[in-house]
Amino acid sequence: MRNLNTFFNPSSIAIVGASSHKGKMGSVFLKNIRSGGWKGKIYPVNPSHKKIGSLRCYSTLSEIGKKVDLVIIAVPAQFVRSIIMDGAESNPKMENFIVISAGFKETGKEGGKRENEIVELSEKLKLNVLGPNCLGFINPEKKLNASFTQPFFDAKSKGKNSFSGKFRPGKVAIISQSGALGVALLDWTENMSLGFSKVISIGNKSVLNEADILDYLTNDKSTKAVALYLEDIKNGPEFIDSMNRIIKKKPVFILKAGKNSAGQKAISSHTGSLAQDDAIISAIFRKIGAIEANDIAELQDLILYCSSDSIPQKNEIIVITNAGGPGVLSADYIGRSKKIRLYNFSKSFKTNLKKDLPESASVENPVDVIGDAPPERFEKILKKISANCPSCPVLIILTPQSQTNPEKVADIVCSFKNKFPVLTTCFMGGAKIKKAMEKLHQNGVANFETPERALMAIEKLIFYSNSKNKNFFAMPGKAINLKLKTNSILNSALQQKRKMLFWDEAEKMFRAYGINLASSRQVNDKMNTASIKLPFPWALKTDEPSIAHRLDKNAVILNLKSKNEFRNSLKRMKKSTGASHFLVQSMAKPGLEIILGLKRDPFFGPIIVCGLGGSFTELFRDRVILAPPLTPAEIKEDLKGLKIYPMLKGYRGGKGYNLDEISILIVALQRIASENPNVYEIDINPVMIYNNGQKCQILDAKVYVNK
């Protein structure tokens, strides 16, 4: 793990490319660092200048001859490597670099070569490099703006939140692979009267990546939550390890771009990142307890919430509203949620609430104080709720009706902020609530544009609260035997340059892990059918590694009722497919078809898929993705994400299916993946499961191998 404390808290900074010319990148950095209030030493480096203002300018880094904690490089890409080399070979050695310059892997092959040279140099000399193609970073606590972002906050203002620096300190750190998005978020935080603990632009992530930054922020006392925008994840195992460490201390919410081919193409040209499977990444996020934001608005809402409120510990919500419609929308959202619910008031408490409400008001939850509610009515209800339900998250909804005084209600809400663990508002409207919203934001009360957005933030933080102490990657309790005799089976296929096992090979491999495939016989057109001791009707299919999708090739025929019908079908199939290996099975009794699959993801390793199987699996796409290692309890919890889950549990009084059977198969798949690195994909479709006590049957299984 890297020590980046000096990197982000330097006492001395060299700026390569510093300039006195306005508009030059080096000029912007010099101005931002000097004007922000940072008190360290600055060393401008530019062979074309002797002095810049009152500062001596050096020709090279090695000419400085003094300790330099951080080097900022803002020169054309072709000069960057030699500058880093000069700094690393200086006495004292310089170890920390920010490369602002573009012109690396995001530009193509030549730029990629330049970037690889920086990576090799950094690994050899043990250097920390942020970027290239990045914004830099901002540390408001140290009044350090080591970026080319112009400050928004006016330090001369005398308001409650004014301070001597240029950027407002806050609780949330922002890490962004896109510099421009980071700038946009900064502008938004200023507009919302929010601060931040750090803003770090990681750019192309040549050396320092998101995992390194997360490790640094794990123990950063000024950071209470982390907002992360990513276009790719550079090293899956490193990222998971870092997330496991930080999640136990603070929430991390992630906006991952590139969710379709168009987005992935744009990413490639932006930072040169490789495409990654979005569904797999979402599964990994759920596994490790990260909060996934679906868009920028959700990311902003989560930043807003964590800048203002504590992490909710209780999932029972109380809603207070002066408008019936938004109250109903809140109840709808909570009713759909699997993570939050409305708090159930006792009968005596509802009687107590009625004393301060008109006859037409509702004392159910949501509490409707009705449209004519003066500020005092809100105050009375908040007093009673804070006395009787102090641990529940509270959402206050206000619309500016004729007798509403939004500003006075805002004052009352602010006075109750410390009496609830979570007090969130939704003052809806525009001009009539503008001043009230400003009061709320200035006093650290999060206000959301809609009830749904407020509840989304609470819901996702409750998910984090329930997940943060889990041992996400605990292996199943039973020790794994790494000496199971499957190597000879796999080696045989690899030696023959086959990418898929034959059925009998797959059967032997699965049997070693306690999985039995459906009874089958290998057949050909010359054998005596009397030797096939299987009850009719039969299913005939090819057993050919070159034919993966049999239905597409007419390589499966069902419901053969006689040996004569079988012989004729076998001849036709041999002629139409050109296959030489065939299987026959007895038709399984009807049941529910599911699919199980294993995929070895290049970034995250083995991933397991479970969902609705059969011929229409691609059409309905009802699936969950599970990230090993998995315990049986985790598997059963993940299966709740399937649309067919109600059927599995027993729909409308029907009998449920044996989830333990599915769990056993998935645990076996993860063992196969762990013990057999040459197995890169398994497709089991269908597994026929039953709700009448009959054991499941695996009717088809394909095992793909590579070196």
Side-chain angles (χ1 to χ4, degrees):
M1 192 182 301
R2 298 172 185 268
N3 185 347
L4 298 178
N5 189 56
T6 301
F7 193 111
F8 292 109
N9 299 273
S11 298
S12 53
I13 299 176
I15 305 171
V16 181
S19 174
S20 59
H21 301 297
K22 288 185 178 180
K24 291 278 190 179
M25 196 70 72
S27 172
V28 173
F29 270 93
L30 187 58
K31 179 183 176 182
N32 285 350
I33 292 171
R34 296 184 77 181
S35 63
W38 180 73
K39 300 301 183 183
K41 295 179 181 178
I42 302 174
Y43 301 104
V45 178
N46 190 328
S48 301
H49 293 74
K50 296 295 183 183
K51 289 187 76 174
I52 297 178
S54 60
L55 296 173
R56 176 188 169 183
C57 194
Y58 298 84
S59 297
T60 62
L61 288 172
S62 54
E63 187 184 338
I64 296 173
K66 297 175 184 176
K67 185 175 182 293
V68 176
D69 291 334
L70 179 65
V71 179
I72 299 171
I73 302 175
V75 299
Q78 61 265 34
F79 304 115
V80 169
R81 185 188 179 281
S82 60
I83 290 168
I84 293 175
M85 175 71 84
D86 180 44
E89 292 180 343
S90 297
N91 188 15
K93 179 183 176 181
M94 301 176 194
E95 297 179 346
N96 300 319
F97 299 84
I98 304 176
V99 180
I100 306 301
S101 322
F104 291 89
K105 72 176 182 180
E106 79 281 1
T107 62
K109 188 175 180 180
E110 188 62 33
K113 183 180 177 182
R114 287 195 197 105
E115 189 162 325
N116 288 337
E117 289 173 351
I118 291 176
V119 173
E120 290 170 5
L121 181 64
S122 300
E123 289 175 350
K124 179 181 178 182
L125 301 178
K126 297 182 179 179
L127 307 176
N128 299 316
V129 179
L130 187 66
N133 186 28
C134 77
L135 180 82
F137 73 86
I138 303 168
N139 184 345
E141 187 181 25
K142 299 294 183 181
K143 302 174 185 177
L144 175 58
N145 180 10
S147 78
F148 59 82
T149 303
Q150 296 294 332
F152 306 106
F153 184 59
D154 182 7
K156 295 179 181 179
S157 67
K158 302 297 181 182
K160 180 179 178 181
N161 291 309
S162 65
F163 66 105
S164 58
K166 290 292 184 180
F167 285 101
R168 198 187 309 266
K171 300 178 181 179
V172 181
I174 299 171
I175 308 172
S176 180
Q177 199 167 348
S178 164
L181 182 60
V183 172
L185 288 172
L186 286 181
D187 196 17
W188 170 79
T189 58
E190 177 59 25
N191 188 53
M192 300 294 288
S193 300
L194 302 176
F196 49 89
S197 63
K198 305 284 185 299
V199 175
I200 302 171
S201 169
I202 52 179
N204 289 10
K205 306 186 293 187
S206 63
V207 179
L208 294 181
N209 59 39
E210 59 279 351
D212 299 309
I213 308 303
L214 288 169
D215 281 337
Y216 164 69
L217 293 174
T218 297
N219 297 313
D220 181 44
K221 292 180 180 178
S222 63
T223 298
K224 307 303 179 187
V226 179
L228 184 56
Y229 168 78
L230 289 176
E231 295 179 354
D232 73 326
I233 293 171
K234 187 170 183 179
N235 185 310
E238 277 187 12
F239 174 76
I240 289 169
D241 288 344
S242 298
M243 285 294 296
N244 277 331
R245 286 188 285 270
I246 194 170
I247 284 292
K248 289 176 172 57
K249 294 187 175 183
K250 56 197 73 173
V252 178
F253 18 96
I254 306 173
L255 175 59
K256 172 67 177 65
K259 294 190 175 183
N260 54 46
S261 57
Q264 289 166 354
K265 184 177 180 182
I267 281 174
S268 179
S269 61
H270 183 214
T271 54
S273 301
L274 296 174
Q276 293 176 320
D277 190 313
D278 180 63
I280 290 175
I281 288 175
S282 293
I284 294 292
F285 289 170
R286 286 194 305 275
K287 176 82 174 181
I288 59 181
I291 300 171
E292 185 171 16
N294 292 310
D295 50 41
I296 292 175
E298 281 195 5
L299 188 70
Q300 290 174 324
D301 287 341
L302 290 162
I303 292 171
L304 172 60
Y305 180 94
C306 284
S307 296
S308 309
D309 278 305
S310 302
I311 306 300
Q313 303 299 316
K314 196 168 183 178
N315 71 340
E316 296 175 304
I317 315 297
I318 295 173
V319 179
I320 305 168
T321 179
N322 73 338
V328 173
L329 291 172
S330 299
D332 282 345
Y333 184 96
I334 295 170
R336 291 191 300 268
S337 173
K338 296 178 182 178
K339 298 182 179 69
I340 56 176
R341 62 189 181 91
L342 286 167
Y343 181 76
N344 189 21
F345 294 135
S346 68
K347 188 175 180 179
S348 60
F349 183 64
K350 286 189 276 189
T351 301
N352 191 14
L353 284 179
K354 278 185 179 180
K355 296 175 183 177
D356 294 310
L357 291 172
E359 187 69 27
S360 57
S362 171
V363 293
E364 301 296 331
N365 189 10
V367 179
D368 188 353
V369 298
I370 69 173
D372 67 351
E376 294 76 20
R377 194 179 296 166
F378 280 93
E379 185 174 22
K380 289 176 181 178
I381 297 304
L382 282 168
K383 277 183 180 179
K384 289 188 174 181
I385 290 176
S386 65
N388 289 273
C389 320
S391 61
C392 290
V394 175
L395 170 62
I396 300 170
I397 302 171
L398 178 143
T399 61
Q401 301 183 50
S402 58
Q403 291 177 266
T404 309
N405 188 325
E407 290 175 59
K408 285 189 177 180
V409 175
D411 288 333
I412 290 167
V413 170
C414 293
S415 71
F416 278 89
K417 177 172 171 53
N418 295 325
K419 296 181 181 180
F420 294 96
V422 175
L423 184 61
T424 301
T425 62
C426 174
F427 280 34
M428 303 176 71
K432 291 181 180 179
I433 61 162
K434 185 177 180 181
K435 290 183 179 179
M437 286 174 57
E438 290 173 356
K439 282 190 175 184
L440 293 170
H441 290 152
Q442 288 167 3
N443 286 276
V445 177
N447 185 75
F448 295 86
E449 290 186 11
T450 69
E452 293 89 346
R453 290 174 68 170
L455 291 166
M456 176 281 300
I458 294 172
E459 180 184 37
K460 292 199 171 189
L461 267 298
I462 284 174
F463 161 76
Y464 162 75
S465 183
N466 293 334
S467 302
K468 66 177 180 178
N469 293 320
K470 288 183 180 178
N471 191 6
F472 299 116
F473 279 75
M475 289 295 291
K478 189 176 179 181
I480 287 178
N481 176 11
L482 296 175
K483 297 181 179 179
L484 290 172
K485 298 178 180 179
T486 58
N487 285 344
S488 61
I489 299 170
L490 302 178
N491 288 338
S492 175
L494 292 170
Q495 288 169 7
Q496 296 172 32
K497 297 183 179 180
R498 283 188 284 116
K499 294 184 178 180
M500 193 173 88
L501 300 186
F502 288 117
W503 177 270
D504 63 330
E505 293 171 327
E507 193 172 32
K508 290 175 185 176
M509 190 191 80
F510 281 120
R511 192 181 300 127
Y513 291 87
I515 300 175
N516 293 316
L517 305 187
S519 296
S520 305
R521 280 293 308 274
Q522 290 181 316
V523 296
N524 57 61
D525 57 351
K526 296 178 181 178
M527 71 183 299
N528 184 355
T529 55
S531 64
I532 306 175
K533 306 296 184 181
L534 294 173
F536 283 104
W538 289 351
L540 173 66
K541 60 183 78 172
T542 58
D543 182 22
E544 204 71 53
S546 61
I547 303 176
H549 301 287
R550 295 190 183 97
L551 282 176
D552 295 343
K553 301 292 185 180
N554 296 316
V556 57
I557 300 174
L558 305 178
N559 288 308
L560 300 175
K561 296 180 175 63
S562 69
K563 292 180 179 180
N564 187 51
E565 194 176 351
F566 159 73
R567 281 190 291 268
N568 292 333
S569 297
L570 180 59
K571 289 178 182 178
R572 289 198 306 272
M573 186 180 290
K574 184 176 181 181
K575 184 177 181 181
S576 64
T577 63
S580 55
H581 299 85
F582 301 89
L583 286 175
V584 66
Q585 297 172 334
S586 290
M587 292 290 296
K589 291 181 180 179
L592 180 63
E593 294 179 300
I594 66 168
I595 182 173
L596 290 174
L598 167 72
K599 175 182 177 181
R600 202 173 290 277
D601 184 78
F603 298 95
F604 295 103
I607 297 294
I608 292 172
V609 178
C610 177
L612 179 65
S615 304
F616 301 109
T617 183
E618 292 297 327
L619 179 62
F620 293 111
R621 299 187 67 82
D622 181 19
R623 63 176 187 171
V624 290
I625 295 177
L626 302 90
L630 296 150
T631 63
E634 284 180 303
I635 292 167
K636 290 177 184 177
E637 184 65 28
D638 285 340
L639 292 180
K640 292 178 181 178
L642 290 170
K643 293 175 185 174
I644 61 169
Y645 184 75
M647 294 174 60
L648 294 175
K649 290 296 290 181
Y651 186 60
R652 291 187 173 179
K655 288 184 179 179
Y657 293 82
N658 187 351
L659 298 185
D660 288 330
E661 283 190 316
I662 301 174
S663 177
I664 289 167
L665 292 173
I666 291 174
V667 169
L669 282 179
Q670 72 177 2
R671 289 188 63 199
I672 291 171
S674 174
E675 299 170 18
N676 301 279
N678 294 124
V679 175
Y680 76 91
E681 190 171 335
I682 294 175
D683 183 7
I684 303 176
N685 183 27
V687 181
M688 193 73 77
I689 60 174
Y690 301 93
N691 60 357
N692 59 1
Q694 182 179 339
K695 286 187 177 182
C696 69
Q697 291 194 71
I698 297 176
L699 304 182
D700 198 12
K702 302 182 184 75
V703 179
Y704 299 88
V705 296
N706 66 10
K707 292 184 179 181

